[in-house]
Amino acid sequence: MSNIGVLLKQEITRLSRKEVRTELQATRKASAQYRRSIASLKAQVANLGRQVAVLQRRGPAAKAIANTEVETGPKMRFVAKGFKSQRARLGLSAADLGAMIGVTAQSIYNWEQGNARPRAEQLKKIAALRNLGKREVADILEQMAAKEAPKARKRPSSRRASPRKPAESAS
């Protein structure tokens, strides 16, 4: 009888090892993947450490260049809905507002729809418009139109001038 007990014990041990092996295979794969990612992160940290050391050796000039973004001033927010209501408050068309800011009417439309975002220099001009009222905006538009009028007159005509007939004198 002891042989049957020994055989059962061996078979149970073999089957349990087989089950444990299949269960541990997923854990081993994950562990190997984690080791690879840790190794790549260590390489990145080492690379960044070298870059920091190089920048520290360069001295204060490198720090000044790195801090230029901070010194440009506070970052301005842009909200499309607020921009649209500001244009409505001033009573401006997209073309007029675009002319004041220095962009096209299509750019104004894209900003209002949230499809695009103005650049930093345009954000400064938009912020300056917040302090203006309708009358001041109308004055600015009149001044811009007055500056554009002489340019429009200087454009050459596309039509050919017809030859003039000599004027007949009344005899």
Side-chain angles (χ1 to χ4, degrees):
M1 275 290 194
S2 66
N3 288 340
I4 292 177
V6 171
L7 287 175
L8 279 174
K9 187 176 180 181
Q10 288 175 350
E11 187 63 20
I12 290 171
T13 305
R14 184 184 70 81
L15 289 175
S16 63
R17 284 183 181 161
K18 184 178 179 183
E19 285 295 317
V20 168
R21 196 176 316 128
T22 58
E23 293 295 322
L24 286 178
Q25 190 171 13
T27 306
R28 285 183 182 142
K29 282 185 181 179
S31 177
Q33 184 178 3
Y34 295 144
R35 282 192 213 112
R36 282 192 298 271
S37 66
I38 289 170
S40 69
L41 288 174
K42 283 183 179 179
Q44 278 183 331
V45 167
N47 187 18
L48 290 173
R50 285 190 294 271
Q51 288 177 356
V52 167
V54 168
L55 290 175
Q56 285 176 343
R57 277 185 252 134
R58 288 186 184 169
K63 290 178 185 175
I65 292 170
N67 292 333
T68 55
E69 194 172 301
V70 175
E71 294 174 357
T72 57
K75 190 171 183 179
M76 292 184 226
R77 285 186 319 148
F78 177 79
V79 179
K81 186 177 178 182
F83 181 67
K84 191 173 187 177
S85 66
Q86 180 182 1
R87 181 171 71 89
R89 178 185 65 85
L90 294 174
L92 292 172
S93 67
D96 288 341
L97 183 58
M100 289 181 71
I101 296 174
V103 297
T104 63
Q106 185 64 44
S107 295
I108 300 294
Y109 177 78
N110 287 336
W111 295 346
E112 288 178 351
Q113 297 304 312
N115 297 334
R117 193 175 187 300
R119 295 187 181 128
E121 67 254 10
Q122 296 159 347
L123 279 174
K124 289 177 185 175
K125 292 177 183 178
I126 291 169
L129 286 176
R130 288 186 190 143
N131 300 327
L132 300 178
K134 283 185 177 183
R135 290 181 187 159
E136 290 129 345
V137 169
D139 291 341
I140 292 170
L141 286 174
E142 285 178 16
Q143 291 172 359
M144 289 173 59
K147 288 180 182 177
E148 291 293 321
K151 292 179 184 176
R153 284 188 224 136
K154 291 181 182 179
R155 292 183 185 157
S157 175
S158 60
R159 295 184 297 168
R160 270 184 116 173
S162 60
R164 292 187 177 183
K165 294 182 181 178
E168 292 181 30
S169 60
S171 356

